[in-house]
Amino acid sequence: MIKVAALVGSIRKDSYNMKLTNFIQERYKDRLNINVVPIRDIAHYDQDIEHEAPASVQRFKSELSDVDAYLVVTPEFNHSIPGVLKNALDWLSRGSREMAGKPTFIAGASMGALGTVRAQMQLRQILNAPGMGANVLPGNEILIGSVQNKINDQGQLTDQDTIEFIDGVIEQFILFTEAQLVKS
Ligand SMILES: Cc1cc2nc3c(=O)[nH]c(=O)nc-3n(C[C@H](O)[C@H](O)[C@H](O)COP(=O)(O)O)c2cc1C
């Protein structure tokens, strides 16, 4: 089964983006083994210490040592991705460069109408930077606006159109990832 590490840009306990991630994790569990890797406690990136990285960074990187693919789920903060997520990605662009060449898909949910579109545009740019080099699924976007109307109190995604849309993107991602795994 494809082993996927999920990085989620919101660390608050009632995060819609975490709920979305948990929904994806559960719905496709027969085909994707998605593990949410915590990013809350990772030290701030600092080039002075990167060769003897703090334990929080070593732990984070070691959890990614054998993953096949990545899922990055981001809210939008001030038209960009949250700092906690950028920090995690900056660490991954250095040394062992865990995301380089790895199939990656991105998703995001926000309470506004635009559903993280600006944050996701920036996230694609970041993931395409030479240090990152992630292999991002082209032509597919999971952008969920007005998420507060689509996820119920139990944290389940209830909007049928959104579910069907996600089904289609996941199908594309599995095909994309399997093709990469055959090549490598
Ligand atoms: C500091 C801050 C900045 C925000 N900026 C934006 C924004 O630029 N665009 C947007 O659509 N929503 C923005 N929001 C609203 C978030 O979309 C909303 O809080 C969302 O629920 C955050 O994701 P989460 O539920 O996973 O924590 C902002 C929220 C915060 C706390």
Side-chain angles (χ1 to χ4, degrees):
M1 195 166 351
I2 299 170
K3 195 169 172 199
V4 181
L7 308 178
V8 182
S10 173
I11 57 174
R12 75 184 182 100
K13 71 174 167 6
D14 287 328
S15 162
Y16 286 116
N17 285 279
M18 184 59 86
K19 288 173 183 164
L20 171 63
T21 307
N22 291 337
F23 170 83
I24 293 173
Q25 195 175 30
E26 178 61 26
R27 185 166 175 87
Y28 309 104
K29 65 177 181 228
D30 294 340
R31 305 181 67 197
L32 297 174
N33 174 9
I34 301 178
N35 177 36
V36 179
V37 180
I39 60 172
R40 169 192 288 278
D41 296 323
I42 302 171
H44 289 170
Y45 175 76
D46 175 351
Q47 195 172 359
D48 289 343
I49 57 169
E50 71 176 11
H51 296 301
E52 287 168 46
S56 60
V57 175
Q58 291 185 26
R59 203 164 42 241
F60 173 54
K61 283 181 165 259
S62 72
E63 286 194 66
L64 303 175
S65 60
D66 64 343
V67 306
D68 300 314
Y70 286 85
L71 163 61
V72 185
V73 185
T74 189
E76 182 166 297
F77 280 3
N78 301 312
H79 297 181
S80 186
I81 68 168
V84 68
L85 177 59
K86 181 63 163 55
N87 183 54
L89 296 176
D90 286 341
W91 278 112
L92 298 183
S93 72
R94 305 293 289 175
S96 34
R97 297 181 60 233
E98 286 75 7
M99 292 186 80
K102 295 283 179 176
T104 299
F105 73 115
I106 67 182
S110 83
M111 296 171 74
L114 295 181
T116 69
V117 66
R118 291 167 290 216
Q120 287 200 42
M121 282 169 65
Q122 293 189 15
L123 180 57
R124 272 179 199 269
Q125 247 179 334
I126 292 163
L127 293 171
N128 195 37
M132 302 293 320
N135 192 7
V136 182
L137 176 69
N140 287 269
E141 296 177 316
I142 300 178
L143 299 164
I144 304 180
S146 305
V147 64
Q148 68 278 15
N149 301 328
K150 296 173 182 164
I151 289 184
N152 68 16
D153 291 343
Q154 288 73 47
Q156 287 153 341
L157 190 57
T158 51
D159 188 77
Q160 203 52 39
D161 288 347
T162 304
I163 293 173
E164 283 170 22
F165 183 79
I166 295 175
D167 283 349
V169 174
I170 296 292
E171 204 55 51
Q172 292 301 317
F173 183 69
I174 290 171
L175 291 172
F176 178 73
T177 302
E178 283 173 348
Q180 308 297 318
L181 292 176
V182 168
K183 269 194 236 159
S184 62

